[in-house]
Amino acid sequence: MLLEKAWAKIHGSYERIIGGQSHLALRDLTGAPSYEFSTDEPDAFKRVLEGDKLGYAMLTGINQKSPEETERLRELGLASEHSYGLIAAAEVIDA
């Protein structure tokens, strides 16, 4: 990720940003405020939809999971302990 490279350069090396939080990198590189919240919060998806509507740059991350959950993520092409940029958000209603 290009932003990760830039953030590592700012901090001197990749080793100095291991375990870094992606929202802090976005804040440092853009000067824009950043916020972190858990998907366990009741209004989490509503906040993501609102951020998308407002055109915010958004990132998401996956915390360490159990071995079973980590394998399921791998099957979906996702990695635990990794951040992803969100391109868009939408609510799908199954009628």
Side-chain angles (χ1 to χ4, degrees):
M1 170 184 228
L2 187 57
L3 286 178
E4 183 182 30
K5 260 187 169 174
W7 202 44
K9 188 158 183 87
I10 287 169
H11 289 277
S13 70
Y14 277 102
E15 288 77 23
R16 294 187 69 192
I17 65 166
I18 290 175
Q21 298 176 331
S22 55
H23 76 284
L24 297 179
L26 195 59
R27 181 203 62 200
D28 289 353
L29 295 170
T30 66
S34 70
Y35 305 95
E36 178 181 36
F37 60 90
S38 170
T39 55
D40 294 333
E41 294 177 27
D43 65 341
F45 192 64
K46 181 179 175 183
R47 292 176 70 181
V48 171
L49 289 172
E50 183 67 18
D52 183 59
K53 180 179 174 183
L54 293 169
Y56 292 168
M58 295 187 290
L59 305 163
T60 188
I62 301 173
N63 292 330
Q64 184 62 45
K65 302 289 183 185
S66 70
E68 296 80 21
E69 290 176 351
T70 298
E71 181 56 34
R72 174 78 174 121
L73 289 169
R74 189 174 297 119
E75 290 171 5
L76 295 171
L78 300 171
S80 175
E81 297 298 313
H82 189 74
S83 294
Y84 296 91
L86 294 178
I87 297 170
E91 183 172 16
V92 177
I93 300 172
D94 186 16

